[in-house]
Amino acid sequence: MPERTPKALRAAIAQHTPKLLPDFDRNWREKIADAYDLAPVPAFMARWWTEFALARDPQLETEVHRLEDEASRATDNAQAKSLVEEAGRLRRKAGKAEPGQ
């Protein structure tokens, strides 16, 4: 994982997971680029830090998307909730990756 800065994260995405770059740049422009208040930056970084961490691990990314897809098709609320919670747990775990890992 890169340094925990927007610039370092963007460079890492461009180098290692370029498929994410258009969405990252679009989201940056929408949420941050013209902002006079930097309060949204931590939430932006948390989201994209997690997205990058998942994209670096194709198996984990596939599992998270499988759980989310299965939850979207579930007809039982308890099953859907369980699947979403597991996907969320995996996302949170990925988001805890530290620079240099």
Side-chain angles (χ1 to χ4, degrees):
M1 295 297 286
E3 290 180 45
R4 207 178 277 258
T5 65
K7 185 177 182 178
L9 181 57
R10 186 187 186 284
I13 288 171
Q15 181 178 3
H16 300 290
T17 56
K19 68 180 183 177
L20 295 179
L21 195 56
D23 287 339
F24 178 91
D25 286 343
R26 181 183 38 73
N27 195 236
W28 177 265
R29 286 189 304 276
E30 289 172 358
K31 306 289 186 204
I32 309 297
D34 294 328
Y36 293 100
D37 179 5
L38 296 180
V41 172
F44 177 89
M45 285 296 295
R47 175 194 172 194
W48 283 100
W49 189 261
T50 300
E51 290 300 321
F52 178 63
L54 285 173
R56 287 182 346 139
D57 184 343
Q59 254 186 324
L60 180 59
E61 182 180 40
T62 298
E63 177 64 6
V64 168
H65 290 161
R66 184 193 66 75
L67 290 165
E68 292 168 342
D69 290 345
E70 196 173 322
S72 74
R73 291 188 306 274
T75 57
D76 177 71
N77 287 340
Q79 180 188 19
K81 180 181 177 195
S82 175
L83 292 163
V84 167
E85 287 174 347
E86 178 62 12
R89 185 188 71 73
L90 293 173
R91 282 185 173 279
R92 284 187 300 281
K93 183 178 176 183
K96 291 180 181 178
E98 291 294 327
Q101 289 184 320

